[in-house]
Amino acid sequence: MTRTVLIVEDDEYIRTDLGELMELEGYRAATCCNGLEAVRYLSEAAPRPDVILLDLMMPVMDGYAFLQWMDTQPLDARVPVLVMSATGQADLHLGERQRRDFLRKPIDLDVLLSAVAKRVAA
Amino acid sequence: MDTSQNAQVSFFQTGEFVTAAVLSPAEFPPSLARATGVAADTMRAVDWSRSVIGQPDQWPPTLVSTLAMILHSRHPMFLFWGPHLISFYNDAYLPSFGVGKHPGAMGQPGAELWPEIWPIIGPQIDDVMLGAKASWNVDQLVPIFRNGSIEEVYWTYGYSPVFDPGGEVVATLVVCTETTARVFAERSLVEAHRQAEQARRELHDFLMQAPIGICMLEGPQHRFTLANQTYLSLLFGGRQESEFLGKSVREIVPEVESQGFMQLLDRVYQVGEPFDGAKMPIFLTQSDGSLKELFINFTYRPKRDAEGNTTGILAIVYEVTDQVNENKEIALLAQNLQKAITARDTFLGIASHELKTPLTSLKLHMQMSQRLLDAKGPQAFSGEKIGRLISNTKTQADRLSRLVDDMLDISRISSGKLAMDIAPTDVSQLLGETLERFEPQLAAVHSVLTTDIPAGLVAAADAYRIEQVMTNLLGNALKYAPGAPVHVRAVAKTDRVLFTVRDEGAGIAAEDQKRIFERFERAVPSSHTSGLGLGLHISRQIVEAHHGQLRVTSVPGEGATFSFDLPLAEASR
């Protein structure tokens, strides 16, 4: 069964690259430009993603707001999230409940792929 | 009359009386026999037979009646009788002798009895005896020998002639009072007054010269009785003490009434409890008529009389304006520093995000290419794919370059080193070229551009920097109002050229119109858009370095208009 990765990233170049990469690795890739598009995607579109690659600083609705929205969802509706940020992890105020897997930009490809594989398998 | 000769002839030799020739009391004239007291007894015990005046029963009536009056009087009296000035005195006189002269003095010639003061009293007695001239001396110093030494003794005394019935002066009556005690008391009182006055003057001088402000207020109206130099110079810029003395606080500094100080003074006066004030602001009228704000520490102490009633207030004042201002400055510095730190942290957060976004893209590209090369070899890279790779790499490098330029500019602005290379520049052409470069971006967001730019406008400008400003304004229009029309104009007015870039986007709220020119600020929250938030700040600095102004006008919902002006070069006017 093909796994789906949802990429939420405002930078057009990174978004496209990540999409291409995921498809090269045999995943199905879906992309959104900001948190709000991701919320719409999760609410309406199928299939449900197996993992979300989330940027934090985005226009319209940022990654923090998206995570807060995610925490209001029923447990079985929550999707594992990999946070990608240029900021150090210690500087992120994600809260106890919102502890997430974290990838520091610039992203190392091997680290990213193994984190995605681990999440998808879980 | 030679009294000194007789003074040598003494009937009294060893202190013992020869009693055989002493008359019995009954043999004395009755007025003398009846007299009582130590002096009377002494007089009656004398052997007058050996005296030049003979036995009492032979004494002339004038002597008897005068002596009787003396012996019966309670007032100190002394009599010098006859040419030999034989001494008589009464009990009241005895204390004046001290120890030593009495009882031998009774009947002794005056000059013999009083050798130590004879130079003083001798001439006065002569005046009486020879010229019937009375004298009167008040608090006269007549030092006498008594109690074993010469004592400083003061007298108020009168010398009066005693006449016989024939009108001849026969004796000198001395009516006297020793005033030594009173003279001494008066003298010590005068000395005490002098000392008190000196102490008062020293205290006054000390208060007047004290390096803290001091004033003394008297009575319920708080009338000034003292205002020292420090007080006057510190609080009133050197008004004169004479203006204050005797005047009430209300009369002389009415401005403090509305500042609560009158109530404090009234309270201290009425309740009698001190009041201390710290770092209190006060506005006071200065000697030049101006009103000055000071910060003072002060103390009001009630001044009390002997019964403990409050009679006035002692006020001690010192100025702490400098301290208060220093504290204010420190607080302001701390606040500015905090702002700067917050701005720096915000900047570092934004900068690291902005720098890492193109880096992330570049790195992803390289890693993916590497992966593809490893898996499929060079044939995996079509010409089209290589073109895309190069184009993307160039885009990301440009982004990085712009960010670094912005950061360098802001660093130059912060350190005041944003130098302009101003020269006559064809700004019509410059604007045209800039707009041309924007064509792909305009097309990408489907925005329509309208222009109104007269040809040949030459301004005194740094071409590179002004292009930067134009690029920033156009970029903002596309970033914040994508898809909406953009209008660019240039208008020459006398010696200046005005550029406007108008969009038809959401506009900028009035409260944000000032803020967007600050560092790291933007009209919308930072998470909603990319960039360092430095563009407008840098642009404004550039325009101001050209002695122009960069402004924004906007009606929310109807778009925003950014405009800036530059001086036209001489040739273009």
Side-chain angles (χ1 to χ4, degrees):
Chain A
M1 188 182 72
T2 309
R3 302 292 190 166
T4 303
V5 178
L6 176 62
I7 298 151
V8 190
E9 166 66 62
D10 62 326
D11 187 86
E12 180 196 338
Y13 297 95
I14 297 175
R15 192 171 62 236
T16 313
D17 282 352
L18 284 175
E20 272 180 36
L21 176 69
M22 288 305 138
E23 285 180 349
L24 273 176
E25 291 299 315
Y27 299 106
R28 190 179 167 276
T31 55
C32 295
C33 298
N34 59 54
L36 189 62
E37 281 189 17
V39 169
R40 283 203 195 107
Y41 178 91
L42 290 173
S43 311
E44 296 162 7
R48 231 164 63 87
D50 297 280
V51 66
I52 297 172
L53 292 180
L54 181 71
D55 184 27
L56 281 178
M57 291 173 79
M58 292 181 291
V60 187
M61 180 180 180
D62 64 18
Y64 298 100
F66 174 79
L67 286 171
Q68 275 173 14
W69 172 83
M70 182 73 110
D71 282 339
T72 64
Q73 299 304 296
L75 269 181
D76 59 350
R78 294 188 200 170
V79 178
V81 177
L82 281 170
V83 173
M84 307 178 293
S85 173
T87 321
Q89 189 169 15
D91 301 332
L92 296 179
H93 307 290
L94 297 178
E96 189 65 22
R97 262 186 89 203
Q98 299 167 330
R99 204 185 312 127
R100 316 286 164 173
D101 285 319
F102 178 82
L103 296 168
R104 195 184 166 90
K105 285 182 177 175
I107 298 157
D108 186 87
L109 213 55
D110 294 333
V111 176
L112 170 69
L113 291 175
S114 82
V116 169
K118 204 173 94 189
R119 284 285 145 200
V120 165
Chain B
M1 186 184 69
D2 185 9
T3 49
S4 60
Q5 277 287 313
N6 290 314
Q8 305 301 316
V9 185
S10 179
F11 68 100
F12 178 77
Q13 288 165 344
T14 61
E16 286 171 20
F17 290 100
V18 180
T19 54
V22 171
L23 297 184
S24 72
E27 294 172 278
F28 275 80
S31 60
L32 299 182
R34 268 212 306 277
T36 57
V38 174
D41 290 346
T42 306
M43 182 273 291
R44 285 189 295 259
V46 171
D47 177 2
W48 293 104
S49 66
R50 301 172 64 179
S51 158
V52 291
I53 59 171
Q55 289 289 27
D57 53 353
Q58 303 299 315
W59 288 350
T62 304
L63 172 58
V64 172
S65 60
T66 306
L67 190 54
M69 177 203 71
I70 291 171
L71 291 173
H72 283 86
S73 175
R74 308 287 288 272
H75 195 100
M77 291 181 189
F78 196 101
L79 187 71
F80 293 103
W81 176 265
H84 295 93
L85 305 172
I86 299 303
S87 302
F88 294 94
Y89 49 91
N90 63 6
D91 278 11
Y93 188 83
L94 285 176
S96 307
F97 276 137
V99 178
K101 283 194 160 69
H102 173 77
M106 190 66 81
Q108 212 177 354
E112 238 171 90
L113 176 61
W114 299 110
E116 71 271 26
I117 53 170
W118 206 248
I120 303 172
I121 65 172
Q124 296 182 18
I125 293 169
D126 282 349
D127 282 349
V128 176
M129 299 303 286
L130 303 176
K133 190 178 157 199
S135 61
W136 170 247
N137 295 283
V138 178
D139 297 333
Q140 173 85 31
L141 172 63
V142 188
I144 58 169
F145 186 87
R146 70 178 181 193
N147 302 324
S149 64
I150 297 282
E151 282 187 22
E152 182 185 358
V153 180
Y154 291 85
W155 303 89
T156 292
Y157 60 94
Y159 280 20
S160 317
V162 177
F163 295 93
D164 69 5
E168 290 294 315
V169 177
V170 290
T172 298
L173 175 66
V174 183
V175 178
C176 62
T177 306
E178 189 186 339
T179 56
T180 307
R182 192 173 58 74
V183 168
F184 280 9
E186 271 181 10
R187 187 189 287 171
S188 54
L189 199 63
V190 167
E191 176 64 12
H193 269 132
R194 197 190 61 77
Q195 286 179 0
E197 176 57 26
Q198 188 179 347
R200 198 197 65 77
R201 203 168 35 243
E202 280 173 6
L203 180 64
H204 184 264
D205 288 351
F206 168 77
L207 292 177
M208 288 304 286
Q209 290 162 17
I212 51 171
I214 296 172
C215 78
M216 289 207 274
L217 306 170
E218 202 67 39
Q221 297 302 313
H222 317 302
R223 294 189 181 281
F224 284 92
T225 56
L226 180 147
N228 78 355
Q229 264 125 43
T230 308
Y231 179 85
L232 295 166
S233 58
L234 181 91
L235 297 181
F236 302 100
R239 284 170 76 175
Q240 295 300 309
E241 192 191 22
S242 52
E243 285 182 64
F244 287 69
L245 294 183
K247 300 273 174 45
S248 71
V249 172
R250 242 184 209 96
E251 288 172 280
I252 208 80
V253 270
E255 63 268 30
V256 301
E257 179 120 39
S258 61
Q259 303 179 48
F261 289 90
M262 285 307 300
Q263 292 87 320
L264 286 177
L265 287 171
D266 286 344
R267 215 187 102 80
V268 171
Y269 189 83
Q270 285 154 15
V271 183
E273 282 173 8
F275 180 87
D276 297 326
K279 293 179 184 170
M280 300 256 293
I282 186 171
F283 288 88
L284 291 170
T285 305
Q286 303 297 293
S287 53
D288 61 4
S290 65
L291 202 62
K292 182 179 174 189
E293 186 186 21
L294 302 161
F295 288 86
I296 53 171
N297 283 2
F298 66 95
T299 287
Y300 291 153
R301 302 271 139 183
K303 207 150 60 80
R304 296 197 172 85
D305 63 12
E307 280 79 47
N309 302 311
T310 303
T311 59
I313 293 170
L314 171 70
I316 296 171
V317 186
Y318 44 101
E319 194 187 355
V320 292
T321 307
D322 288 349
Q323 288 174 37
V324 170
N325 284 344
E326 271 169 30
N327 288 346
K328 274 187 186 166
E329 271 173 35
I330 289 168
L332 194 65
L333 279 176
Q335 201 185 339
N336 288 344
L337 196 59
Q338 189 55 51
K339 269 190 199 163
I341 289 170
T342 306
R344 189 205 61 185
D345 289 349
T346 308
F347 173 73
L348 285 177
I350 293 169
S352 70
H353 178 265
E354 290 303 315
L355 288 171
K356 281 184 179 178
T357 300
L359 280 176
T360 300
S361 181
L362 278 174
K363 193 174 172 189
L364 268 180
H365 253 71
M366 294 306 124
Q367 289 182 112
M368 281 169 64
S369 303
Q370 180 75 54
R371 225 177 159 74
L372 207 57
L373 188 66
D374 290 351
K376 296 182 181 170
Q379 62 270 28
F381 293 87
S382 62
E384 185 252 349
K385 192 167 184 69
I386 290 172
R388 210 148 54 77
L389 222 111
I390 290 169
S391 148
N392 191 350
T393 304
K394 185 180 176 297
T395 305
Q396 302 307 338
D398 288 347
R399 278 172 82 179
L400 279 172
S401 167
R402 270 201 310 277
L403 286 167
V404 171
D405 283 346
D406 277 2
M407 290 171 77
L408 284 175
D409 283 348
I410 207 69
S411 157
R412 286 189 191 110
I413 288 169
S414 298
S415 58
K417 289 176 190 158
L418 188 71
M420 295 295 141
D421 182 13
I422 290 173
T425 303
D426 187 334
V427 285
S428 305
Q429 191 186 342
L430 185 67
L431 188 49
E433 287 166 6
T434 309
L435 291 172
E436 221 173 282
R437 271 199 295 283
F438 266 89
E439 272 167 15
Q441 294 177 54
L442 285 159
V445 295
H446 309 292
S447 286
V448 177
L449 175 72
T450 64
T451 59
D452 179 5
I453 305 164
L457 292 172
V458 180
D462 180 326
Y464 170 74
R465 291 297 179 183
I466 291 305
E467 185 190 341
Q468 196 180 343
V469 175
M470 291 169 173
T471 303
N472 175 246
L473 297 183
L474 284 164
N476 281 349
L478 294 183
K479 189 151 101 186
Y480 294 102
V486 181
H487 311 276
V488 178
R489 292 184 70 192
V491 182
K493 275 184 187 169
T494 59
D495 58 347
R496 305 193 76 80
V497 55
L498 183 74
F499 300 91
T500 58
V501 176
R502 181 164 68 86
D503 67 49
E504 295 183 21
I508 298 162
E511 63 267 26
D512 293 327
Q513 288 178 15
K514 190 175 167 207
R515 189 174 57 81
I516 54 172
F517 292 101
E518 302 294 321
R519 271 193 294 176
F520 316 129
E521 294 287 356
R522 25 166 85 75
V524 290
S526 63
S527 61
H528 286 205
T529 185
S530 62
L532 288 173
L534 293 173
L536 282 175
H537 180 71
I538 294 170
S539 294
R540 171 169 273 189
Q541 304 297 324
I542 291 170
V543 172
E544 283 176 1
H546 285 82
H547 309 290
Q549 285 186 311
L550 173 59
R551 293 200 188 87
V552 63
T553 54
S554 176
V555 177
E558 295 177 16
T561 304
F562 285 86
S563 60
F564 67 96
D565 60 307
L566 297 175
L568 284 171
E570 296 291 341
S572 201
R573 291 183 192 174

